Amino acid sequence: MSIRPTPRFDSSEDSDRDPHRLAILPLSDEVHFPQTDLCLHVVLPEYCELLRERFYAAPFSARVGTVLLRPESVSLGEQAAVYHAGTAARLVDLRDTAEGCEIVLRGEFRFEVEREIEGGPCREALVRPIREAELSEHDPDVQSLRSELFDRVACLSLELGDRFELDDDQLRDLRGGLPFEALVNHLAANLEVAPERKLQLLRDELPERAAGLLTILRCRQQVLDILRPYRHLAATAEVN
């Protein structure tokens, strides 16, 4: 498949390619994607204080970054290591709770961590934005990918019913004409796969991310096809 991306940068966006200084939130089992919302419950007091300060100083425009913790790095007395791929997001909502605060992050762009900045109460890093190349919605290969993604999701939703990860509202949103990038990112965010696999999807360029999602969906369909002849046995066992 030969999707031809068009660079999205113009001269007015040159500054966006410079490193940004961001507070980073290390997450143990979540990977955030651009153009999707992520709800988090934060309990560390120093992070809640920082988030409150930034949210009330600049509502809906304060940025933070999320990164995935390396599972093998969590040990007593040491700062846990993180993967260097992440997503910068706007802090669009914050509510205090008895245990800390609940926040909503709206993903903006992918980044690579250049280096962490020591000395602050919260983890901060210099990150370099990674801008997605712009794809034409009219490109035949984009249309083919979009069509197969819809078809695979529809088949799995029909067969799995309530066991499928996407609920009716999410499926309705996907059918509502989302741009290709938003469609791919929403699927990547909502499908239940291992965090490390989601991180690989985040690192992939958009065409490869879509192809990776298709691979996941096809594999699920193949498993269901293999198991289908045996389902009546499970139903019979439940009745007995």
Side-chain angles (χ1 to χ4, degrees):
M1 193 165 287
S2 57
I3 294 175
R4 294 173 294 280
T6 302
R8 187 178 296 176
F9 289 120
D10 58 34
S11 58
S12 65
E13 292 176 322
D14 285 345
S15 62
D16 283 342
R17 286 179 280 184
D18 295 332
H20 292 243
R21 179 169 178 161
L22 289 177
I24 56 172
L25 303 175
L27 307 178
S28 59
D29 57 2
E30 292 279 2
V31 176
H32 195 193
F33 287 83
Q35 303 180 358
T36 69
D37 287 352
L38 178 65
C39 302
L40 296 174
H41 190 190
V42 181
V43 296
L44 293 176
E46 60 270 25
Y47 272 100
C48 286
E49 182 178 350
L50 174 74
L51 292 167
R52 289 189 196 101
E53 176 184 318
R54 296 191 177 182
F55 180 71
Y56 292 119
F60 309 111
S61 62
R63 274 185 183 145
V64 295
T66 60
V67 289
L68 183 66
L69 283 166
R70 291 182 178 272
E72 73 279 5
S73 71
V74 180
S75 58
L76 294 175
E78 296 181 4
Q79 179 167 267
V82 298
Y83 292 102
H84 281 186
T87 295
R90 297 278 182 186
L91 181 58
V92 296
D93 195 17
L94 182 147
R95 298 180 184 182
D96 290 319
T97 69
E99 298 82 16
C101 62
E102 291 182 349
I103 61 173
V104 178
L105 300 176
R106 185 154 299 153
E108 285 200 325
F109 59 83
R110 301 180 298 146
F111 63 71
E112 282 286 333
V113 174
E114 291 202 336
R115 65 179 178 87
E116 288 202 46
I117 300 168
E118 305 292 338
C122 302
R123 296 179 74 163
E124 289 188 287
L126 283 179
V127 306
R128 185 169 294 279
I130 302 172
R131 295 295 181 184
E132 293 284 8
E134 188 170 357
L135 303 178
S136 170
E137 298 287 335
H138 304 293
D139 187 308
D141 290 325
V142 170
Q143 293 180 343
S144 177
L145 276 171
R146 176 192 285 277
S147 177
E148 188 172 357
L149 283 170
F150 273 131
D151 289 346
R152 297 286 177 178
V153 167
C155 288
L156 288 169
S157 174
L158 182 63
E159 188 152 5
L160 293 173
D162 292 341
R163 292 176 293 159
F164 190 54
E165 297 99 314
L166 278 69
D167 60 29
D168 290 341
D169 289 339
Q170 291 168 323
L171 290 170
R172 195 176 302 112
D173 289 342
L174 294 179
R175 297 188 192 101
L178 286 175
F180 182 67
E181 181 182 345
L183 167 69
V184 170
N185 286 341
H186 276 72
L187 283 176
N190 286 293
L191 288 181
E192 292 180 3
V193 296
E196 289 77 14
R197 182 68 181 95
K198 282 199 175 187
L199 182 67
Q200 183 57 57
L201 290 171
L202 180 69
R203 283 175 163 159
D204 287 341
E205 295 297 327
L206 184 57
E208 289 73 26
R209 195 177 314 146
L213 287 169
L214 275 177
T215 297
I216 292 169
L217 295 171
R218 287 169 183 161
C219 289
R220 291 191 179 184
Q221 190 63 61
Q222 288 172 358
V223 171
L224 289 175
D225 291 344
I226 292 170
L227 295 178
R228 189 176 295 109
Y230 305 99
R231 288 185 187 171
H232 72 282
L233 298 177
T236 302
E238 288 178 3
V239 171
N240 294 334

